Amino acid sequence: MPQSPAIEATGLAKSYGNVRVLDGIDLRVERGAVFALLGPNGAGKTTTVRILATLTTADSGHARVAGHDIVADRARVRRAISLTGQFAAVDEKQTGEENLRMMARLSGLSRAAARRRAAELLDRFDLTDAGRRRTGTYSGGMRRRLDLAAGLVGDPEVVFLDEPTSGLDPRSRQELWQVVRDLSTRGATVFLTTQYLEEADRLADRIAVVDGGRVVAEGTADELKARVAGHRLDLVVNDTAAYWRLESHAIHRSPETLTLGLPTDGTAAHVRALLDEVDPERRDVARFSVQRATLDDVFLSLTDKEPAHV
């Protein structure tokens, strides 16, 4: 018999007062996969995670996590998952080792087992040297790694990461990305939310783009890029008048540099045809280049919002 998916949700809806936060979310995440929920602020990402992690009840819809119903089997779901929120939740007055030993004891391990588990996780997250320092002295990246380590004390099947790299510097973000890859290699299912397009592109086996409480597209990074175009024709125009004349054709816009991006299949024939179409008199376009389509193009096309860049 095939295994059930790690996460399966149908028709999740949630409102707060008159505000419809989720409007019928459907999701399916296979076991051992890294799945990214990508969307702008207010799109419903955190609410989705809170419902799947049993912290909030949906108004309607159904979901199963690690094979358990999130309402009927709430306790089993909680034993099978870990959740790391947008801000590191560590006790700054304790050392890193003390934080992990405390979490291990709360998970039911004996004192000796808690010490062993803490030492193992400190080593795994490259925190052994800092393990006996108060966490109030840790950098942002170290605190996030410790927070993730604390969530893995119980060796969960499904790991929820809600914007795990928000606010981190590029080096710390790279370190967290490696942690996510290691989790997947070890067999855990990782469900992460992010605004960072590069993050989703590099880490996720599948991506769902959510906007206005709905999933507006889902697939691999390459599949999503192909929905917009395989490539993008970037045009640098001569002046602002030309920019605004051609702006309606674009999927990528940069008025500061007078650059417009148009979808193309990348072939010479299509590029020539596009240039003839948008600039038949050959007076508006100063120069052009062909780029591979990116998740930025997908994001802008599907949500009509500026993405957050790394």
Side-chain angles (χ1 to χ4, degrees):
M1 293 289 291
Q3 279 191 318
S4 62
I7 299 170
E8 191 168 25
T10 305
L12 292 182
K14 182 70 176 179
S15 296
Y16 292 101
N18 294 325
V19 179
R20 187 77 159 174
V21 181
L22 297 184
D23 193 17
I25 293 283
D26 296 334
L27 295 171
R28 181 185 176 93
V29 182
E30 300 300 333
R31 292 179 184 265
V34 178
F35 185 93
L37 196 61
L38 175 67
N41 282 333
K45 303 188 301 296
T46 294
T47 299
T48 301
V49 169
R50 288 180 60 82
I51 289 172
L52 295 174
T54 75
L55 299 179
T56 298
T57 304
D59 297 335
S60 60
H62 306 278
R64 298 179 70 83
V65 175
H68 310 298
D69 186 275
I70 61 172
V71 176
D73 298 321
R74 180 176 298 180
R76 290 184 176 179
V77 172
R78 291 182 173 181
R79 285 195 292 270
I81 69 172
S82 75
L83 169 61
T84 298
Q86 296 180 25
F87 305 99
V90 297
D91 187 340
E92 294 186 357
K93 295 183 179 180
Q94 294 193 93
T95 67
E97 181 182 13
E98 288 168 343
N99 269 275
L100 295 180
R101 286 169 59 183
M102 177 183 68
M103 292 302 298
R105 292 287 286 153
L106 290 172
S107 298
L109 297 184
S110 67
R111 290 182 185 276
R115 282 196 299 271
R116 289 193 297 271
R117 185 61 171 156
E120 175 188 329
L121 289 168
L122 288 171
D123 178 65
R124 179 171 164 187
F125 284 84
D126 196 24
L127 291 169
T128 299
D129 291 342
R132 297 194 176 182
R133 282 170 38 201
R134 285 193 311 107
T135 57
T137 69
Y138 284 16
S139 68
M142 292 169 67
R143 289 157 63 91
R144 290 303 269 166
R145 296 207 308 275
L146 181 65
D147 198 24
L148 278 171
L152 299 179
V153 163
D155 202 19
E157 295 179 49
V158 179
V159 179
F160 289 101
L161 305 177
D162 189 15
E163 299 196 15
T165 62
S166 179
L168 295 184
D169 61 76
R171 182 181 297 277
S172 297
R173 186 170 291 127
Q174 292 275 353
E175 292 172 351
L176 262 293
W177 288 353
Q178 188 56 53
V179 168
V180 172
R181 295 186 187 101
D182 290 344
L183 287 172
S184 178
T185 299
R186 291 168 179 260
T189 302
V190 180
F191 185 108
L192 68 91
T193 72
T194 184
Q195 296 182 71
Y196 295 116
L197 305 172
E198 184 183 5
E199 189 160 273
D201 203 353
R202 289 197 182 191
L203 295 178
D205 299 303
R206 292 187 68 80
I207 301 166
V209 181
V210 62
D211 190 39
R214 291 176 175 269
V215 174
V216 294
E218 183 177 347
T220 66
D222 286 342
E223 287 169 349
L224 292 177
K225 292 171 190 176
R227 287 187 55 155
V228 176
H231 294 76
R232 191 182 74 214
L233 175 64
D234 282 354
L235 308 177
V236 179
V237 297
N238 287 315
D239 52 41
T240 55
Y243 178 90
W244 294 115
R245 275 198 302 273
L246 304 180
E247 186 265 345
S248 62
H249 296 272
I251 59 170
H252 174 80
R253 301 167 179 85
S254 177
E256 297 84 3
T257 60
L258 296 179
T259 302
L260 296 165
L262 282 63
T264 176
D265 62 13
T267 63
H270 193 237
V271 169
R272 281 193 293 267
L274 278 175
L275 290 170
D276 288 340
E277 177 186 347
V278 300
D279 189 15
E281 297 180 14
R282 301 185 180 183
R283 59 184 174 85
D284 289 336
V285 176
R287 58 185 182 275
F288 68 88
S289 61
V290 178
Q291 316 286 342
R292 281 190 58 83
T294 69
L295 281 184
D296 295 63
D297 303 319
V298 176
F299 193 100
L300 290 167
S301 174
L302 295 173
T303 68
D304 196 31
K305 293 179 175 65
E306 285 296 329
H309 294 285
V310 174

